[in-house]
Amino acid sequence: MATIARKTNTVLAKAEFAASNTRDQLRLADDSAVVSAFLNGDERAFSELVERYQTRLLNFIYRTIGDREKAEDLVQEVFIRVYRHLYRFDRSKKFSTWVYTIASNLAKNELRNRSRNPLVLFQTITKNWQDEERPLQFEDVGNRPDDLFRKRDIREKVEEAVGKLPEHHRNVFVLRELEGKSYEEIAEITNTNLGTVKSRLNRARNSFAEIIAPWLE
């Protein structure tokens, strides 16, 4: 019995080691390799995609619609669609662009539905956001408390100003200035041509500057 137990423990240890190695390999792999692993039957690969993108997509949708609870629901819907339709994904393209396109479309639909109730739209878009995880860094922990207070205040004003931009301007502004997407990616995500993206972004930047200027004097 002791011999059987030792053999069983050895087999389990090897299985755990193999699983650990697979997880490590997935973490180190690029998106394309992770997508391929999932399509080849490795369910853990899908968990890796969720882990990579859920926070980023939540921040993106939250900044776009201004409602964190609804943004969380929409992120879940994004991954449901990814799970169901990943086999249709054109692997010659970037997975990040595809998943952001899904998120952008869901956010647009949410805003379009809300537009039937202007009061709800106004309240959800213009309220201050509390999310701390974003690419733009407004704080430096090495600064003095008074500096941190001012930077935190500026961050809140920036977020409020973004919320006041028209939907089609806000979308490209968030994708470029907060998410760091290229013009080409934004064009694909928003299904618009490159010239329109640049035009909207230019107008968004000008509008943003006008909105925030009085607060920064």
Side-chain angles (χ1 to χ4, degrees):
M1 290 293 292
T3 301
I4 294 175
R6 282 197 297 273
K7 288 182 178 179
T8 300
N9 289 336
T10 300
V11 170
L12 290 173
K14 287 181 178 179
E16 289 176 2
F17 179 75
S20 176
N21 271 352
T22 300
R23 286 193 296 270
D24 290 340
Q25 289 170 1
L26 287 172
R27 289 193 197 101
L28 294 173
D30 61 19
D31 287 350
S32 178
V34 177
V35 168
S36 295
F38 174 69
L39 293 176
N40 288 331
D42 189 345
E43 291 287 330
R44 286 168 296 193
F46 184 75
S47 298
E48 174 63 25
L49 292 173
V50 172
E51 186 173 339
R52 288 184 186 190
Y53 284 96
Q54 62 181 350
T55 299
R56 292 158 63 181
L57 293 177
L58 176 60
N59 289 342
F60 167 59
I61 296 175
Y62 183 28
R63 294 182 188 118
T64 303
I65 69 173
D67 182 333
R68 186 175 186 85
E69 185 174 348
K70 186 60 181 178
E72 290 172 349
D73 291 340
L74 291 180
V75 169
Q76 289 185 22
E77 178 63 24
V78 169
F79 285 113
I80 288 172
R81 295 190 181 195
V82 169
Y83 189 89
R84 289 176 178 171
H85 303 296
L86 191 56
Y87 69 93
R88 297 180 181 175
F89 169 59
D90 181 355
R91 283 189 273 176
S92 67
K93 298 182 178 179
K94 293 177 67 173
F95 174 79
S96 62
T97 301
W98 184 64
V99 77
Y100 266 92
T101 301
I102 296 173
S104 178
N105 289 336
L106 289 173
K108 281 187 206 174
N109 289 340
E110 171 64 16
L111 290 175
R112 191 174 298 115
N113 291 337
R114 282 193 209 165
S115 66
R116 300 186 184 119
N117 187 334
L119 178 60
V120 173
L121 178 63
F122 176 81
Q123 290 173 337
T124 55
I125 292 301
T126 59
K127 71 181 181 181
N128 282 339
W129 302 329
Q130 300 301 318
D131 181 26
E132 294 292 339
E133 297 183 33
R134 53 177 53 85
L136 285 183
Q137 298 297 317
F138 293 95
E139 297 183 11
D140 180 348
V141 294
N143 286 345
R144 300 190 310 273
D146 56 332
D147 292 331
L148 293 179
F149 177 81
R150 174 162 175 74
K151 287 188 177 182
R152 189 176 294 111
D153 181 62
I154 291 174
R155 183 195 66 216
E156 291 173 356
K157 293 296 188 295
V158 165
E159 292 167 345
E160 187 173 346
V162 170
K164 291 180 180 293
L165 296 174
E167 176 193 338
H168 55 292
H169 288 171
R170 181 170 64 251
N171 205 21
V172 296
F173 187 89
V174 170
L175 285 168
R176 179 63 179 174
E177 304 300 343
L178 302 181
E179 298 294 329
K181 298 297 180 185
S182 69
Y183 294 122
E184 291 76 13
E185 285 180 294
I186 296 171
E188 188 168 349
I189 290 169
T190 60
N191 194 30
T192 53
N193 61 58
L194 202 57
T196 300
V197 167
K198 292 180 179 180
S199 174
R200 289 180 178 177
L201 182 59
N202 185 56
R203 292 178 183 175
R205 285 168 172 165
N206 289 337
S207 298
F208 174 83
E210 290 176 6
I211 293 168
I212 203 170
W215 295 334
L216 301 180
E217 291 178 353

